Every structure is written in structure tokens, then in C-alpha cells.
């Protein structure tokens, strides 16, 4: 069993294949954008909102699968809807938590029902939950690339006020930062990223790439710049490393991605404890 | 300062016939007030009397229902560099991705768009100077979430001063600090207004820690208000009129103790303060 999990026999050959290279490129793009968002997600205490968004992306994808339209579009629609709803709830943690819980449970239930009703191949069904990075085609790559550019461009414009609003909301309001506008805007950025991550790593472990890198970085640095760089590094390690490691065993990529991300977090916690 | 027009133009903060209502309820109306550069105004009153709302008006976050407000002769503008804002001390998350210098830097340009790559050396120098001015230079790189409440409030003062404001708006900045740190933070604010002629509008429910610094008091109760020196306003007669009930103001060892206003959810007489 252990041998099956950790084998690199044939990895070299697989790396030469076009579909594998597409997968790695997708992983790298996703790692970049998720890593940049992660520290802000952690600072805003939005881990649960990201989880909820991912589940709603799953619901949207499942609905699209059943309706016979593009799964990616369905995932984006579901995630963006959830993102805007959660974003409008602002930073009041208690209310937000319960609303996310309610919406998440309902969405997940609906999604499972729609998957069960879907008459097609089982692999399509399973893919939404666990991810299937090798299924990335050139269309997916083009969309992923576009979204990466859009998310990074928007962040480049609103980064400072967003950091202000995320870490110091009271003073940000007093200084005229449109905190209430930034919340849904950031939620949409998360939703776009999440919706793209769902078909690749699966809804279940989207947190692994959008939250863990930020949480890990926060244990070892308080500098926003260093935290962002570290989070990108961890996200890339997890996504690219996880993809490579999953090639030869031919197992779902999600387990590998989540494990590497978790190890990054564990290491950072230990380092952080020494620092304190 | 005899001509009204001159006074309006030069006042750091000027309110004329200012009124604010929430639905049916009038928080205050007919408020005329000039705060001169370098003046220290304490804003007192029970919860819900519109103290914080007054700050929101001055910050440009809340329009007046009637009347006029000017900051340094101009209407208040969101994100104006003329204003520094010191909030209440609040617990910050331990893993907040901010160092002391980042928190202060956000006070300088956190409201601006872009990532801020230009003018970094000027920015760094201003942040350093602000940190030094509040004695926080030695923890400039410490994560803000791991600092004590007193250390955090020093940073709040630096964050408010880094933009070199002409008006400092303080919203209960001493709340939840121990007496020693209350003194430290109050002195930092006092030093700034002496050094730079910065007007201070200081909202508080507890005047004692700042009593020696206060030039004038604006006391708000249920739509009624009085403006005057502490000696004029903080008297049994004035407060009884404002509260429309018997209120006694006692001087005990240089501190003011207000008794009888507590039925309105407001009381200056904190046991630990009166001793």
C-alpha cells in the first residue's frame, strides 16, 4: 500500500506528456492566485466562508452536469452567488458563521442529490468532489489563465485598502476606505478562484490551497509582504508537488496536495513556537 | 477672533446650527461649536447621546441633517489627511499579518489604491518618525497581535499622527487601559497638540484621566447639550439641568465624581477610580 502511494516509477515519462504539462501549468496558476489570496482570507477570518463557497461551487457544478451544460460555468455561478451572499454579510463573525453553515448544508445536500440523479459516467461525478487535474484541457487553461490575470490585476489596484479593511476595519472605515464595498468584491475574487479550484483539486479540499498556505505563513511572519510570498511558495509546493507525486500512483491529486499543505502548516507552527 | 467669518475660516473644527436625527429621534440640533487649533475638547455624555455620531460627522462618514460642518475651513472629506483618528483599544488577533510599522503605515496611505511601490523611502521614514514619537521604535517589527493593550494604543496614536493631521479625533482611546497606560496615551496626545497646535476632539465617558488637559467640554444628554470649560459644565447645577434629575458633582482628591446620572446608564463614579 505504501509502495503504491509513494512511487515515482514512470513519473519522468509522464512529465513529458502534454496533458501532464497542462495539469502542471494549471496547478502553478492556481497556486499563484490562491497563495496571494490566502493571507487576506486568514486575516479576514474567512476560512469557513471559503469552505462554503467551495461547496456551493460543487452544487453549481453538479447542477450544470445534470443540466448538460459546462460544469466550470456551473461551478463559477454557484461560487460567485455564494461569495456575494457571504461577502454582504461583512465581518460580523457570529452571524456570518451560522448563515454559511445553513447555506453550505443546503447546497451540499442539493449537490449530492443532483449527482445521484446524473445518469452519466461515475468519474464525472467523483471529479467534482476529489478533483481530476489530468482532465484539464486547453479551454480550462485559457479560462484559468484569464481569471488569474483578472484576480491579480484587481488585487494590484485594491490591495492596500483591502489589507487595511481586512486587518483594521474600524480605522479603515474612519479613513474613508469603502469597507462595505470591498467585502463583496473580495468574496467574488475568492469565488472565482474557488470555482476554478473545484474541478482541479475538488471541493472537499479547496481549503488546502486557499487557507492553509495563509495560515501557515501567519505562524512565522507578521509582515504582509513576506506572508504573501510564503503563502505563494506553500501553495505552489502543495499544488505542483502534489500533482507530480500523484502521477505515478495514478491516484487523486487531492490527497497529495492536502498532505503537502498540511506539512507546511505543521512545520510553520513548530517554527512559530520557537520564535515566540 | 472677533469677526465671525475669520473665526469660521481659521477654526480647526466648526459646527453651525448642526443637527442630527435618526428617524424621529433628534440626537442634537442647533449645535454651534468652534474648536480652535491646539484646543482640547472633551465630548461627554451617556451612551446613545450621539458622541460617536459626532465623530462620524467630522470624519465625513455621516451627513448632518441640518447646519454646516467645516474642518479647517472645508467640508469634511472621507480619508482626509487633515484628520487623525484614534479608536478604542480592541483585542487584535494574535496571527494578524501586521507588524507595528505596517499598522502605522496603513494610517498614512492605507486608503489609497495601488500597492504603493512609489515613495517607499519617504514612507518608511515617516513611519519610523511616528513610531519614535510614541516611544514604539523598539517594537516596530513586532506582530501587533502580540503586543499589550497599552503598546497597541501607542501605535494607534502613531497611526493617527503619521499623516500629520491638524485635527485629532479620539473615540474612547483610554477605555480598557490600566491607569498607567491611560496616562501614557493621554500624554502622547497632549504633547502632540502642544508641539503641532493640533486640535483634539476626545470622546470619552470618563473625564478624569484627561481632566488636566481639557480646555472645554461638550456634554450631550438626550438632545440637550452644554459647551464650556470643565469648571462651568461639570457642576451639579449644569448636569442636573442636562439630565433633568438631581445630579451631584463632587471633587474628591482632584477627581470628579458624578453621582445620580447612573440611572441613565452613565456614571463617572467607578469604584476603582474614586479611591
Amino acid at each position: 500500500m505504501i509502495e503504491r502511494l509513494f512511487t515515482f516509477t514512470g513519473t519522468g515519462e509522464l512529465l513529458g506528456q502534454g496533458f501532464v504539462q497542462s495539469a502542471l501549468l494549471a496547478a502553478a496558476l492556481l497556486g499563484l492566485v490562491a497563495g496571494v489570496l490566502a493571507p487576506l482570507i486568514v486575516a479576514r477570518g474567512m476560512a469557513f466562508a471559503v469552505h462554503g463557497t467551495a461547496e456551493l461551487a460543487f452544487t453549481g457544478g453538479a447542477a450544470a452536469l445534470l443540466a448538460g451544460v459546462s460544469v466550470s460555468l456551473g461551478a463559477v455561478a454557484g461560487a460567485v452567488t455564494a461569495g456575494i451572499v457571504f461577502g454582504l454579510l461583512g465581518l460580523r463573525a457570529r452571524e456570518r458563521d451560522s448563515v454559511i453553515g445553513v447555506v453550505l448544508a443546503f447546497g451540499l445536500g442539493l449537490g449530492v442529490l443532483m449527482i445521484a440523479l446524473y445518469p452519466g459516467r461515475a468519474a464525472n461525478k467523483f471529479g467534482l468532489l476529489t478533483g481530476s487535474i489530468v482532465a484539464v484541457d486547453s479551454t480550462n487553461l485559457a479560462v484559468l489563465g484569464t481569471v488569474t490575470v483578472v484576480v491579480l490585476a484587481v488585487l494590484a489596484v485594491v490591495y492596500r485598502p483591502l489589507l487595511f479593511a481586512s486587518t483594521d476595519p474600524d480605522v479603515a472605515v474612519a479613513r474613508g476606505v469603502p469597507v462595505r464595498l470591498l467585502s463583496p468584491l473580495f468574496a467574488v475574487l475568492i469565488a472565482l478562484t474557488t470555482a476554478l479550484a473545484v474541478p482541479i483539486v475538488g471541493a472537499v479540499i479547496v481549503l488546502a490551497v486557499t487557507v492553509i498556505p495563509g495560515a501557515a505563513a501567519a505562524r512565522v511572519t507578521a509582515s504582509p509582504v513576506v506572508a504573501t510570498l510564503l503563502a505563494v511558495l506553500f501553495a505552489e509546493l502543495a499544488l505542483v508537488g502534489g500533482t507530480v507525486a500523484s502521477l505515478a500512483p495514478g491516484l487523486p491529486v487531492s490527497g497529495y496536495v492536502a498532505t503537502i499543505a498540511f506539512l507546511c502548516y505543521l512545520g510553520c507552527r513548530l517554527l512559530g513556537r520557537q520564535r515566540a | 477672533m472677533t469677526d465671525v467669518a475669520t473665526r469660521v475660516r481659521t477654526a480647526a473644527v466648526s459646527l453651525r446650527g448642526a443637527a442630527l436625527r435618526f428617524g424621529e429621534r433628534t440626537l442634537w440640533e442647533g449645535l454651534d461649536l468652534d474648536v480652535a487649533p491646539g484646543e482640547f475638547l472633551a465630548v461627554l455624555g451617556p451612551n446613545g447621546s450621539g458622541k460617536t455620531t459626532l465623530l462620524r460627522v467630522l470624519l465625513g462618514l455621516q451627513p448632518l441633517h441640518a447646519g454646516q460642518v467645516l474642518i479647517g475651513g472645508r467640508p469634511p472629506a472621507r480619508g482626509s489627511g487633515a484628520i487623525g483618528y484614534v479608536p478604542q483599544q480592541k483585542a487584535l488577533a494574535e496571527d494578524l499579518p501586521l507588524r507595528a510599522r505596517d499598522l502605522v503605515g496603513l494610517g498614512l496611505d492605507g486608503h489609497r489604491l495601488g500597492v504603493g511601490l512609489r515613495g517607499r523611502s519617504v514612507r518608511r521614514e515617516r513611519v519610523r518618525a511616528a513610531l519614535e514619537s510614541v516611544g514604539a521604535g523598539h517594537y516596530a517589527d513586532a506582530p501587533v497581535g502580540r503586543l499589550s493593550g497599552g503598546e497597541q494604543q501607542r501605535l494607534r496614536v502613531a497611526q493617527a499622527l503619521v499623516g500629520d493631521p491638524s485635527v485629532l479625533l479620539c473615540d474612547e482611546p483610554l477605555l480598557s487601559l490600566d491607569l498607567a497606560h491611560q496616562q501614557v496615551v493621554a500624554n502622547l496626545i497632549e504633547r502632540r497638540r502642544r508641539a503641532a497646535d493640533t486640535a483634539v476632539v476626545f470622546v470619552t465617558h470618563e473625564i478624569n484621566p484627561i481632566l488636566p488637559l481639557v480646555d472645554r467640554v461638550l456634554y450631550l444628554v438626550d438632545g440637550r447639550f452644554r459647551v464650556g470649560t470643565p469648571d462651568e459644565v461639570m457642576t451639579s447645577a449644569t448636569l442636573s439641568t442636562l439630565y433633568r434629575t438631581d445630579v451631584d458633582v463632587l471633587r474628591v482628591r482632584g477627581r470628579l465624581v458624578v453621582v445620580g446620572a447612573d440611572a441613565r446608564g452613565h456614571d463617572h463614579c467607578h469604584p476603582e477610580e474614586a479611591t
Side-chain angles (χ1 to χ4, degrees), chain A residues 157 160-161 164 168 170 175 222 224, chain B residues 79 90 97-98 113-114 156 159:
Chain A
V157 175
R160 262 187 304 183
F164 203 176
D168 194 8
D170 294 345
R175 296 290 296 150
Chain B
K90 262 197 204 166
L98 286 185
L113 294 179
R156 290 303 189 181
Q159 186 187 35

Side-chain angles (χ1 to χ4, degrees), chain A residues 31-32 58 61 82 91 95 98-99 110 112 114 128 146 152 181 203 215 238 258:
Chain A
L32 178 61
F58 161 71
L91 289 168
E95 185 197 343
S98 46
V99 174
L110 274 187
V112 169
M114 288 187 284
L128 276 175
T146 311
L152 292 181
L181 266 177

Side-chain angles (χ1 to χ4, degrees), chain A residues 27 37 53-54 89 101 116 139 144 148 157 187 240 250 266:
Chain A
L37 289 173
T53 308
L89 295 173
T139 319
L144 190 57
T148 304
V157 175
V240 178
L266 219 55

Side-chain angles (χ1 to χ4, degrees), chain B residues 170-191:
Chain B
C170 307
D171 192 1
E172 303 262 21
L174 307 184
L175 204 68
S176 75
L177 294 186
D178 60 43
L179 285 177
H181 283 108
Q182 286 184 358
Q183 219 54 64
V184 168
V185 172
N187 286 340
L188 288 172
I189 292 168
E190 169 68 3
R191 214 169 67 199

Side-chain angles (χ1 to χ4, degrees), chain A residues 112-124:
Chain A
V112 169
L113 183 65
M114 288 187 284
I115 288 284
L117 289 172
Y118 175 66
R121 284 195 308 134
N124 291 354

Side-chain angles (χ1 to χ4, degrees), chain A residues 39 42-43 155-161 163-164 167-168 170-171 173-177 218-219 222-224 227 272 275-276, chain B residues 59 61 78-80 83 85 87 90 95-99 102-103 106-107 109-116 143 146 156 159:
Chain A
V42 171
L155 274 183
V157 175
V158 302
Y159 183 76
R160 262 187 304 183
L163 180 70
F164 203 176
T167 53
D168 194 8
D170 294 345
V171 178
V173 168
R175 296 290 296 150
V177 173
R219 306 307 305 191
S223 157
R275 193 184 60 149
Chain B
L59 286 164
L61 302 175
R78 281 166 174 251
S80 158
I83 289 183
Y85 175 76
K90 262 197 204 166
D95 61 354
L96 205 62
L98 286 185
R99 297 161 299 173
D102 301 313
L103 186 85
L106 285 174
D109 57 13
H111 58 292
R112 299 235 178 98
L113 294 179
V115 285
R146 299 198 182 178
R156 290 303 189 181
Q159 186 187 35

Side-chain angles (χ1 to χ4, degrees), chain B residues 20 25 27-28 43 46-55 220:
Chain B
L20 202 71
R25 212 172 134 247
L27 282 179
W28 29 263
V43 182
N47 293 334
S49 59
K51 301 185 301 263
T52 298
T53 317
L54 175 64
L55 289 189
L220 299 159

Side-chain angles (χ1 to χ4, degrees), chain A residues 14-236:
Chain A
L14 283 164
L15 283 174
Q17 303 273 342
F19 75 94
V20 172
Q21 285 165 357
S22 297
L24 287 174
L25 187 54
L29 286 172
L30 185 60
L32 178 61
V33 64
V36 171
L37 289 173
L40 289 165
I41 291 172
V42 171
R44 297 173 72 88
M46 286 185 75
F48 193 41
V50 172
H51 185 54
T53 308
E55 301 303 359
L56 267 288
F58 161 71
T59 310
L65 199 61
L66 191 59
V69 297
S70 157
V71 171
S72 305
L73 278 182
V76 170
V80 170
T81 309
I84 291 174
V85 170
F86 299 157
L88 290 175
L89 295 173
L91 289 168
R92 280 161 303 169
R94 286 181 64 90
E95 185 197 343
R96 201 176 58 185
D97 260 13
S98 46
V99 174
I100 293 168
V102 168
V103 174
L104 185 161
F106 178 57
L108 198 54
L110 274 187
V112 169
L113 183 65
M114 288 187 284
I115 288 284
L117 289 172
Y118 175 66
R121 284 195 308 134
N124 291 354
K125 307 179 180 188
F126 210 48
L128 276 175
L129 280 170
T130 59
S132 52
I133 195 160
V134 288
V136 175
D137 58 28
S138 57
T139 319
N140 293 143
L141 268 184
V143 175
L144 190 57
T146 311
V147 168
T148 304
V149 170
V150 168
V151 171
L152 292 181
V154 172
L155 274 183
V157 175
V158 302
Y159 183 76
R160 262 187 304 183
L162 188 60
L163 180 70
F164 203 176
S166 306
T167 53
D168 194 8
D170 294 345
V171 178
V173 168
R175 296 290 296 150
V177 173
V179 172
R180 281 198 190 153
L181 266 177
L182 286 172
S183 265
L185 176 69
F186 186 62
V188 169
L189 295 185
I190 293 178
L192 285 174
T193 309
T194 304
L196 293 171
V198 162
I200 297 175
V201 294
V204 179
I205 61 137
V206 152
L207 291 174
V209 292
T210 47
V211 174
I212 298 181
R219 306 307 305 191
V220 289
T221 181
S223 157
V225 176
V226 177
T228 305
L229 293 176
L230 278 180
V232 170
L233 177 71
F234 296 150
E236 294 290 0

